[in-house]
Amino acid sequence: MTKSLLIARTQITVPDVGAAIVALCDYYALYDCEVIRHDDVAVIRLSAGQGELRAENGMLSVTVSSRTDTDLAYMKAGLIAILGELVPTADLAVTWRGDGTTGGKLPNFRELRVSSITDLSASMRRIRFTGVDIGCYDGGAIHVRLLLLPPGSTAPRWPYLAENGAPVWPDGPDAAIPRVYTIRRMDAQAGWLDVDFVLHGDNGPGSIFAMRAAPGDPVGMTGPLGTALPDAEWYLLAGDETALPAIGRFLEELPETARGMAVIAVDGPDDMIELATKSAIDINWVQRSQAAGDSDVLFEAVRDITLPLDRHRVFCWAGVEQATFRALRGLWREDIGLDRDQCLASTFWRHTGRDAA
């Protein structure tokens, strides 16, 4: 660590410190975060910063470090929230010492308004949002957390950070519902950004919001989240409708020298949209309507692709349903043997409701 880093510390009472550290490390490792374990400390490295876990006086000692106040707040909130899920009996009524603040609004929170609505396909709707001071979202991280209001809400109740660094989500009819989406395009100076929504009826708050949105409707936003694609020569991009905005943005931003394949699963021809790219990446649409039985057409299409023999300059990316995420991660990491830095598979939605990025 250097003096340029912001650092905060806390101690948390848990029933079994060793088990809590193992559970946190396993969780982050599952999602391809770098996890380093020593005899007395575990280090977790994310794009937002670093967390150190150790047993100290019978308690879980946590140190987080980041380069910005926003990233430090994310590190605090993430560790507290994940620990609460993994160890429900943990005493999370803690305070942080050191840099950064905890109570107050979520990091980089902005309130935006719907400006315009455009249908891209039978299942995809683009909504333009306008707001002020949105330059913090214009960078390598392309995802944001939208805070969607339920239909008819007239008095938004936005979430805030508790003193322990965890987000507090108010309940009730006007409470905002968080969902992660991709910034498809934006002009920070002009004060607008576009987000593409998958329409699938009243199955999920994102679809409900997009189907009923009208100019002037408010939405909250915080972020950004995620990381940019690494520099490579050959790319494999895979996803379904929920990942289509991210794949579309990647294709537009990749250079002419980039080669590879993009595999996108949709229900049928009416769900395909035009994708622009100056790269040499081939776009392959696969249709579920042509699948036999419960076949996972996306996984099968990706499995049938032969990667270049020289894999040092290969990068594979996927945004998919949870079951497909596990299958692709196993294919790339275990069967093919790609390193963590050569592939990234993410869960964009689960079968309980297809509403994600």
Side-chain angles (χ1 to χ4, degrees):
M1 294 181 185
T2 66
K3 292 183 178 179
S4 62
L5 291 178
L6 302 175
I7 301 173
R9 299 178 176 87
T10 193
Q11 288 188 321
I12 305 171
T13 300
V14 294
D16 186 328
V17 178
I21 292 176
V22 169
L24 283 167
C25 289
D26 288 347
Y27 177 92
Y28 282 105
L30 176 63
Y31 291 96
D32 278 337
C33 301
E34 184 179 1
V35 176
I36 304 171
R37 304 189 196 190
H38 301 294
D39 292 338
D40 60 343
V41 62
V43 177
I44 300 170
R45 291 175 178 165
L46 290 75
S47 60
Q50 177 173 292
E52 295 183 3
L53 314 172
R54 67 176 72 234
E56 193 171 274
N57 298 324
M59 303 179 71
L60 173 62
S61 178
V62 180
T63 301
V64 294
S65 58
S66 299
R67 297 195 176 276
T68 68
D69 287 327
T70 297
D71 285 343
L72 193 69
Y74 276 125
M75 292 297 296
K76 294 177 183 178
L79 278 165
I80 290 292
I82 293 168
L83 182 62
E85 293 181 8
L86 299 176
V87 188
T89 54
D91 182 3
L92 301 181
V94 300
T95 57
W96 291 86
R97 305 178 306 279
D99 295 316
T101 58
T102 44
K105 67 179 184 179
L106 297 183
N108 282 354
F109 174 83
R110 300 291 187 274
E111 183 172 343
L112 309 176
R113 298 279 172 174
V114 173
S115 173
S116 62
I117 301 168
T118 305
D119 286 334
L120 303 178
S121 71
S123 60
M124 187 75 69
R125 173 167 291 179
R126 175 167 295 168
I127 298 181
R128 175 163 293 184
F129 298 97
T130 56
V132 297
D133 190 23
I134 61 173
C136 58
Y137 298 98
D138 192 6
I142 68 172
H143 305 303
V144 293
R145 183 171 284 108
L146 291 184
L147 312 178
L148 307 173
L149 298 177
S153 175
T154 57
R157 299 184 62 203
W158 302 120
Y160 59 93
L161 289 177
E163 289 301 318
N164 68 353
V168 177
W169 299 93
D171 54 15
D174 293 314
I177 304 170
R179 288 294 185 272
V180 175
Y181 283 89
T182 300
I183 297 177
R184 185 61 178 84
R185 293 191 182 99
M186 74 175 298
D187 186 330
Q189 186 172 359
W192 61 262
L193 58 86
D194 290 341
V195 176
D196 294 350
F197 291 78
V198 179
L199 303 178
H200 43 87
D202 288 340
N203 181 19
S207 179
I208 294 173
F209 171 84
M211 290 174 61
R212 305 182 184 185
D217 286 351
V219 65
M221 186 169 71
T222 186
L225 311 170
T227 58
L229 285 179
D231 183 31
E233 293 179 357
W234 195 95
Y235 294 89
L236 172 55
L237 309 174
D240 53 33
E241 295 91 339
T242 62
L244 185 50
I247 293 175
R249 178 163 172 174
F250 290 149
L251 289 172
E252 286 186 1
E253 296 179 351
L254 284 172
E256 296 179 0
T257 55
R259 299 176 295 109
M261 299 256 326
V263 183
I264 307 165
V266 294
D267 284 340
D270 291 342
D271 301 305
M272 301 177 187
I273 63 175
E274 184 176 348
L275 297 173
T277 185
K278 57 181 177 290
S279 71
I281 292 181
D282 295 326
I283 301 172
N284 179 24
W285 298 89
V286 293
Q287 302 177 46
R288 300 186 195 92
S289 58
Q290 298 178 348
D294 295 328
S295 172
D296 187 340
V297 294
L298 180 60
F299 174 75
E300 292 181 357
V302 172
R303 184 185 56 193
D304 290 342
I305 294 174
T306 301
L307 301 185
L309 292 177
D310 181 5
R311 294 175 184 166
H312 292 92
R313 298 285 290 159
V314 167
F315 185 78
C316 299
W317 181 96
V320 291
E321 196 275 333
Q322 187 178 41
T324 306
F325 151 75
R326 294 182 183 276
L328 284 178
R329 187 179 185 277
L331 172 69
W332 290 340
R333 295 294 302 279
E334 300 170 15
D335 298 344
I336 296 178
L338 296 178
D339 293 335
R340 178 177 57 247
D341 295 337
Q342 294 178 293
C343 61
L344 175 63
S346 300
T347 297
F348 271 26
W349 63 283
R350 296 173 175 82
H351 268 297
T352 53
R354 188 189 302 172
D355 189 67

